[in-house]
Each structure stands twice: as structure tokens, then as C-alpha cells.
Amino acid sequence: MYSTLLTRVLIFLCIFSALCLSSDHEIHPLDSLTASELTQVQTIVNNSICSTSCQSLSFHYVGLHEPDKPIVLSWLSDKDSTKVPPRQAFVLARINFKNHELIVDLNASAIISNKVHDGHGYPLLNFAEQTAANRLPLTYAPFIASIKKRGLKLEEVICQSFTIGWFGEQKTKRIVREMCYYLDGTINLYMRPIEGITLTVDLDEMKIIGYRDRLIVPVPKAEGTDYREVKQKQPVSSPIKPITMLQPHGPSFNIEGHVVSWADWKFHLDFDMRVGPILSLASIYDLEKDEYRSVMYRGFISELFVPYMDLTEEWYYRTYFDSGEYGFGLCAAPLLPSSDCPENAVFLDGYSMSQDGTPIKLPNIICIFERYAGDILWQHTEGAIPGKVFTEVRPEVSLIVRMVSAEGNYDYIVDWEFRQTGTIKVNIGLTGLLEVRAAAYTYKDQIGEEVYGTLLAENTLGSYHDHFLNFHLDLDVDNPANSFVKTKLQTTAVMDKRSPRRSYWTVVSETAKTESDARINLGSGAAELLVVNPNKKTEMGNYVGYRLLPGSVVNTLLSDDDYPEVRAGFTKYNVWVTPYNKSEKWAGGTYADQSRGDDNLAVWSLRNREIENKDIVIWYTLGFHHVPYQEDFPVMPTINNGFDLRPTNFFEHNPVLKVKQLAKVKWLKCCKECRHNLTADIDPLA
């Protein structure tokens, strides 16, 4: 008992001493807006606009209006003599039922720009209007009659708001469709859809403007759908003994304000209500050069496109932009210690805004922790020297920055992993609940020619669908001026007698001159994708660079003229390269809801601008084609995809050659009782 208590105290003191965050840290130009700044934005907008002609005002996005890149870099190079750039906010608001883009200067306490967006599309939905829309069916007489006709209990019905896409309409309203689900014996509402009913809600007027009860389909049964541990019946899986990650001397990383330092890495961590975590100014310390060298100016998930392949009346429009319509950051889930993140993790909060502009604290939405899972950083055993054997091995320890976005039924696990080798590894995990369609089928052979999904359980079709995540990666490899190089591995025949071999492969490289040269569908020949600094070489004469190493390659299967594909034009290629432009940050466009594909990455790239030896941005789209299987029911095991950004002739030699072995933790060997207790489930902050 005493040793367990001692362990808890030691862990708490170590973490507390290493990570006490100062509230008066130096302000950074890329820091996300604080709660007080968000309140200031609310006050300025209300006083400036609603004091005169404001019939209606709703906030839909508020984020940092980031300073121009040269200003930030200038401030970083000389903080002592350079003032912090003015703090400004970028606001998307609906004012008198029109889309407004506001720039609010917090230093001047004034709106310095107010533009009305007359183009297509609408800003992302906020939670308040979704909640209001979701309540409307429950007091709507035709809907109540439909529920009664199906023999269901109205008090067990829950409705959700779904964006409707765009399918060639000349005029649009700001509307959503309400689809409803049935509880009554489970919390897994998504496995019990009430099929055949469609309600259309005008969000500006907040009323139902369309209703159709097309057909009655059996609601899937509740039995076997509840995923909670307490609801599982015997037999259950064989238990695994407790595993604990302990760092008795505290973590090796440090957080000052929003700047994280770990091993040789240093980067700025921000949170945005639309895109989630933003990692900026990532640089790595070069031991040989005795300096920090820049790798990435800014990286984040730019857009997330999820089209379903069901053509029925209640489903064809389900082609979601989860960042631009719902907010990837807005849907950030509070992370649970020792479950979502290990017990050695540190948790950070974020802020969003309500419909009226009031700041909302999002607790524990990002965690940071060091990972050691027994992996090997590098190893070699030398046995060729007579009478001797030499073995050198180093353990792989990395730093993880994690957020989970709960976008309705789906949960997206986002990991940015920093490795001592200089690699930045990004992993996306998909878990949560499938979006299923209720059907009359109870056995696969009954389906016939309908090919929209997999029969997972009685009356339950798991719909085919995609997930495409586009990443905005502004690499600055040893300064902003970079070039993009496509490298192919080419087979060459041996035609002469210089070797018994008949063939070999060699490397052929091409530097992209313009944007059109850099549009790439992976699997079409390009084997290596490099971002190099053409103005810097290693001592061996190679250009310093980083390369993009994709995971599983997935390309869109939709036709170019399909309306969802027009809107999500960024999925046409896996890789795009554009010159840096501060205004080009969301690949699906600023107004993704009911957008028409006229303001997105594909359109920007048509200008075919020069990208050689320029400040360039890489846009990488990773994807998942999801064919559901019975193992995905009632809750999905996590599936993963990702990519690496890996140094390529960036260092003069192996950067982890001089990494030391992990130090032995002597105090863990105090006694048998202590070692026994350390295998228990210990909360270091308890």
C-alpha cells in the first residue's frame, strides 16, 4: 500500500514539475485566440454591427487571422527588436441572413474588414442551430403520425441534421435534412435508423419546409447493438493483464505557451474550430551544424470528404464535408486519461464559439505523450570478426500529438508523431459507428441486384462509402524557397556485355516547373516525391530535402461530372503543389455547405502558377474505400492509414547515430512489493 502511494506521488511530482504551464507566457503570432480574445471579438461585432442594423446575427467560425508569413518569420528571427504582429480574428457570420467575412483587429478593438459573400455556398453549421432543427420533428404532427403508424415511441426518437450537398440547382436555401433514429433498448442510435421519412428544415427560418414519408421499413432490433462494457453478456474475451507506462523522472518534452520542445524537435501547436490541431514552425536541431533547421511552416487537415454510394432518395445526397460543413475541431471529443491516451499523457484544452459568439471551453481535446512500444530505432549485430560479436541497438521513442474528432457516428483519431530520425509521421484512425440503412432483408441472398452495401445484421445494410482527408503541408525545408521533385524508378536493359545481368533499375528525376507538373495520382509511376531546397546542398553535393511517403494509396472512383466530385475536386489527384497563398487554406473552399466547386483547390490550381524555387505548399489526400463487413458491427475496430514526411539528404549522416540508450530506472527496483504494485492500474495524477 505504501509503495503504491509513493509511486503515485513520485509520478505526480515529476509531471507537475516538468509541465507547469505559465499563464503569462510570451504571446506568439500563431497562438490560437484565447477565451478573453474571443469574448472581445463577440463584443466588437455586437457593438459595431448589431447596434444599428442587426436583425439576426449568428457566428459560424472564429479563428486566428494569421499574420503574413514574412512577418512571422521576421519576428522569429529577431524577437527582441520586432513587435508581435497585431492580434486579429477571422470571422464567418450570418448577418441579416447574408454571409459575412469579418476581420477583427483586437489591438484596435475594431472591425477592419467586412465583406459580404455573394457567391455560392454557406458557412459551417453551428451546434445551436443543429440542436434546434433536431427538435422540430418531435412536435411536427405529420412526423408524429408517421412514428405512431410504425408503432414506435416518440420519446425514444432522436433526429440528426444532414447537409444536402448540391446537385445542379440554380437557387438554394440554407437547409438541412433531418433523419431520425430509434433508441428503446440501446444507446447505439445509428444502428436503428427510421428509414423512409425525410424532413427538410430551413435553418434561417428554423421551420420544416418539406416532408415525405415514402415507405415503411422494419427498424433494426436493439439486441446486440449496445457497445458499452456493462452491456456485454458472457462469454467475454480473455483478459489482458494491466500494462502501465511510467516515467518516474517526468516526460522529456516541455511546453511553453503553445511551443512544444522534445528531443531535437521544436514546434508550435494550435487549435482551430474548423480543422482541429495545427502544427507550425516545426524545426529540428542539427547537432553537427549546431542550429535549428526549419522543416514545416504549417500543417493541418484541410478538408474531409465522405461520400456515400447509396442512390436511394434518403441517401443520395449524403456527401459530407466534415470540416467545412460540421467543423473537424468543433467535434473534438474530450480525451479520457489511460484510455484515449496513456497515463503519461498531458492534456490541453481548446476554445470554440457558440451561435451568439460566447466562448466555449473544450476540455482535454489534445493530448501529448511519449510512446515506447518496444520498437527498434536502429540495430546491428556484427559477427564477421573472428572470435567476437558486437551488438548495438537503440530503442524507438517518439512524441505523439493526438486529437479525436467525433463527427456524428464516426470517430477520427489524428496522430502527429515526431521521431528522432527527423521523420514526421501522420496517422489517421477510423473507428466509431457505421452509418447504416434499414432494409427488409434478413439474409444476403434476398438482396438481389441492389449493390449499395453489406448486410451486417437483420434489416441492417452497411453502406459503401469513402473517406478522403486532404492535408495542407507547407514545408519550408531549410527556408521557404523550395522545389518539388518527382522521382521514378526506371528499368534499364543491359544491351552490351559489361555484365552478366540483363537488366537493372535506376532513378530518373524531374523538377516540377508549374502546378500542372505536380498533380499526381499515386500508383501511376512516380515512386519518390521530394521537396528540396535548390539553394542548399550537403557536403556530398545533394540537395537537402524531405520526401512524402504515402501509406495505402486510394483514388476517387467517382466520375468527373458527378456533382459531389465537382465539389470535392481536390480528390482528383493524391498530390497537388501550389505556391504559398495565405488565403488558400481550405481545399474544399471557405463555404463548403452546398458549394458548387467554383472555389476550391482544383480551381486555384488551374492558374498553373510557377512553383520551382518558390515558397510552395503540398496538398496530400489520403483515402479509405470502406466496404463494411460484419466485424464492423455494432462498433468498428480502428482501421488506419497515413503518411511520412522523411528527411532526404537533409542531414550529413544518420541523425540518430549518437542517440543514447534509455536510462535505467533504478528506483523501480526498490523491492518486490514495489515492482508488483507498479503493474497495477495507476493514475499518475490521482
Side-chain angles (χ1 to χ4, degrees):
M1 181 69 181
Y2 172 77
S3 58
T4 302
L5 179 61
L6 176 63
T7 300
R8 292 171 179 265
V9 172
L10 284 171
I11 296 172
F12 174 77
L13 290 175
C14 291
I15 293 180
F16 183 80
S17 61
L19 295 171
C20 282
L21 305 183
S22 172
S23 60
D24 58 351
H25 70 274
E26 179 185 37
I27 195 73
H28 191 288
L30 297 180
D31 283 354
S32 53
L33 299 175
T34 65
S36 61
E37 288 177 323
L38 291 171
T39 300
Q40 187 182 359
V41 170
Q42 179 191 35
T43 301
I44 294 170
V45 173
N46 279 318
N47 291 344
S48 301
I49 293 176
C50 287
S51 61
T52 55
S53 59
C54 184
Q55 298 174 5
S56 66
L57 167 65
S58 61
F59 290 84
H60 294 267
Y61 171 81
V62 180
L64 176 71
H65 182 64
E66 62 183 89
D68 292 337
K69 187 173 180 178
I71 294 176
V72 175
L73 296 179
S74 176
W75 176 85
L76 282 172
S77 64
D78 189 5
K79 296 181 183 179
D80 294 333
S81 59
T82 305
K83 292 183 178 180
V84 177
R87 297 282 288 169
Q88 296 180 345
F90 179 65
V91 180
L92 295 178
R94 292 277 291 170
I95 302 172
N96 299 335
F97 307 112
K98 293 184 177 180
N99 299 324
H100 284 249
E101 299 176 11
L102 311 175
I103 298 177
V104 181
D105 191 307
L106 299 173
N107 296 74
S109 293
I111 296 174
I112 60 174
S113 177
N114 182 357
K115 296 180 180 178
V116 176
H117 172 68
D118 292 324
H120 304 300
Y122 301 97
L124 66 166
L125 281 62
N126 57 48
F127 285 151
E129 62 188 355
Q130 291 182 66
T131 300
N134 296 342
R135 291 173 179 159
L136 292 177
L138 305 180
T139 58
Y140 188 64
F143 178 77
I144 295 173
S146 293
I147 294 300
K148 184 177 180 180
K149 182 170 61 175
R150 287 165 169 78
L152 305 178
K153 306 171 189 175
L154 185 65
E155 65 271 17
E156 296 289 343
V157 174
I158 291 180
C159 299
Q160 298 282 288
S161 300
F162 290 76
T163 54
I164 65 165
W166 175 72
F167 294 89
E169 301 89 349
Q170 292 301 310
K171 294 183 178 181
T172 62
K173 290 184 176 182
R174 193 163 178 268
I175 60 177
V176 293
R177 295 225 165 91
E178 292 291 316
M179 302 304 295
C180 300
Y181 303 87
Y182 198 54
L183 295 174
D184 198 20
T186 183
I187 67 165
N188 194 344
L189 60 113
Y190 292 103
M191 293 303 113
R192 307 199 73 196
I194 303 172
E195 208 67 50
I197 302 175
T198 302
L199 301 97
T200 303
V201 174
D202 186 315
L203 291 176
D204 287 334
E205 297 184 15
M206 199 50 69
K207 69 177 185 180
I208 295 173
I209 60 171
Y211 183 77
R212 177 167 160 81
D213 186 350
R214 187 174 68 91
L215 78 167
I216 296 179
V217 177
V219 175
K221 62 185 179 181
E223 183 182 354
T225 64
D226 204 317
Y227 45 82
R228 291 174 291 178
E229 184 176 358
V230 296
K231 294 295 183 178
Q232 304 313 306
K233 300 177 181 179
Q234 295 293 336
V236 295
S237 301
S238 301
I240 295 176
K241 293 180 180 180
I243 299 174
T244 303
M245 177 67 181
L246 298 176
Q247 293 180 285
H249 301 295
S252 298
F253 61 90
N254 184 54
I255 305 175
E256 295 184 9
H258 291 258
V259 177
V260 181
S261 302
W262 174 79
D264 292 327
W265 280 105
K266 182 182 291 186
F267 58 90
H268 182 276
L269 176 60
D270 189 12
F271 171 78
D272 179 80
M273 61 187 287
R274 178 162 177 157
V275 304
I278 300 177
L279 290 93
S280 305
L281 301 169
S283 61
I284 189 166
Y285 181 74
D286 189 324
L287 187 65
E288 306 299 324
K289 297 182 181 296
D290 189 26
E291 65 178 4
Y292 276 95
R293 301 173 62 191
S294 62
V295 175
M296 182 175 71
Y297 181 74
R298 212 140 164 86
F300 54 88
I301 295 174
S302 173
E303 189 54 85
L304 170 54
F305 176 53
V306 186
Y308 282 79
M309 301 299 133
D310 192 321
L311 304 186
T312 55
E313 183 176 322
E314 295 82 16
W315 278 78
Y316 75 90
Y317 57 84
R318 300 190 191 196
T319 53
Y320 309 125
F321 286 67
D322 279 346
S323 288
E325 292 177 341
Y326 293 100
F328 197 72
L330 272 177
C331 297
L335 301 174
L336 301 177
S338 302
S339 296
D340 288 311
C341 309
E343 54 265 41
N344 64 322
V346 172
F347 295 83
L348 305 176
D349 303 327
Y351 284 91
S352 66
M353 294 191 82
S354 66
Q355 186 173 20
D356 67 358
T358 302
I360 299 174
K361 183 177 181 179
L362 306 175
N364 290 3
I365 55 170
I366 293 177
C367 72
I368 304 175
F369 60 93
E370 290 168 284
R371 172 186 284 163
Y372 173 56
D375 296 324
I376 295 173
L377 183 64
W378 63 264
Q379 194 265 10
H380 181 65
T381 297
E382 184 55 73
I385 301 174
K388 297 181 180 180
V389 176
F390 297 94
T391 298
E392 283 288 320
V393 60
R394 299 292 183 271
E396 173 83 85
V397 180
S398 61
L399 184 75
I400 309 293
V401 177
R402 173 173 295 168
M403 192 194 86
V404 176
S405 183
E407 294 268 359
N409 56 304
Y410 261 104
D411 296 69
Y412 295 88
I413 305 165
V414 181
D415 281 359
W416 289 82
E417 180 178 0
F418 291 82
R419 296 185 170 182
Q420 291 172 282
T421 56
T423 295
I424 301 174
K425 183 178 182 64
V426 178
N427 185 75
I428 300 296
L430 267 61
T431 182
L433 311 172
L434 291 172
E435 193 164 304
V436 303
R437 174 160 69 88
Y441 314 120
T442 58
Y443 194 71
K444 180 180 184 296
D445 292 350
Q446 299 170 348
I447 298 178
E449 296 183 358
E450 186 175 27
V451 290
Y452 301 146
T454 304
L455 190 64
L456 305 174
E458 289 184 9
N459 309 122
T460 307
L461 278 175
S463 297
Y464 304 148
H465 60 282
D466 296 323
H467 304 261
F468 291 104
L469 295 96
N470 180 272
F471 284 81
H472 173 112
L473 303 168
D474 182 3
L475 298 186
D476 282 2
V477 180
D478 262 348
N479 292 322
N482 288 174
S483 294
F484 181 72
V485 178
K486 301 178 291 184
T487 297
K488 293 185 179 181
L489 307 184
Q490 180 173 289
T491 301
T492 302
V494 179
M495 306 300 293
D496 53 28
K497 298 182 179 181
R498 68 181 186 273
S499 171
R501 292 278 297 275
R502 299 297 178 88
S503 67
Y504 66 102
W505 62 260
T506 188
V507 176
V508 179
S509 298
E510 176 189 354
T511 300
K513 305 291 185 182
T514 63
E515 292 175 90
S516 61
D517 298 332
R519 299 176 196 140
I520 295 173
N521 267 328
L522 297 170
S524 60
E528 300 275 332
L529 305 174
L530 283 66
V531 176
V532 303
N533 187 325
N535 308 299
K536 290 193 175 183
K537 295 182 178 181
T538 65
E539 293 178 2
M540 297 297 101
N542 296 307
Y543 289 124
V544 301
Y546 261 71
R547 68 187 185 273
L548 171 67
L549 294 177
S552 299
V553 176
V554 174
N555 299 302
T556 182
L557 298 177
L558 300 180
S559 62
D560 290 347
D561 62 348
D562 194 5
Y563 288 109
E565 183 64 18
V566 172
R567 299 175 63 221
F570 59 86
T571 63
K572 184 175 177 61
Y573 297 99
N574 299 109
V575 178
W576 308 70
V577 181
T578 63
Y580 171 80
N581 184 327
K582 189 177 73 171
S583 67
E584 296 175 2
K585 55 184 178 180
W586 298 324
T590 301
Y591 298 92
D593 182 22
Q594 298 184 55
S595 61
R596 301 190 182 186
D598 52 5
D599 179 27
N600 58 25
L601 174 59
V603 173
W604 306 334
S605 182
L606 289 176
R607 286 173 280 179
N608 204 23
R609 296 160 290 187
E610 294 183 358
I611 57 173
E612 185 179 15
N613 199 15
K614 303 288 185 182
D615 188 358
I616 57 176
V617 176
I618 312 300
W619 307 77
Y620 173 61
T621 300
L622 68 82
F624 300 80
H625 292 313
H626 195 173
V627 177
Y629 294 101
Q630 287 184 239
E631 289 81 1
D632 296 331
F633 177 88
V635 60
M636 283 176 48
T638 303
I639 57 176
N640 297 279
N641 198 359
F643 62 92
D644 288 7
L645 297 172
R646 189 174 298 178
T648 304
N649 298 321
F650 187 80
F651 299 102
E652 294 294 340
H653 53 71
N654 183 351
V656 292
L657 177 65
K658 299 180 181 180
V659 168
K660 295 182 179 181
Q661 286 279 7
L662 287 177
K664 303 297 181 182
V665 184
K666 296 181 180 179
W667 69 270
L668 290 178
K669 299 181 179 180
C670 56
C671 61
K672 291 183 179 179
E673 181 186 2
C674 179
R675 291 198 298 274
H676 172 73
N677 284 327
L678 285 176
T679 64
D681 186 12
I682 297 171
D683 181 356
L685 298 181

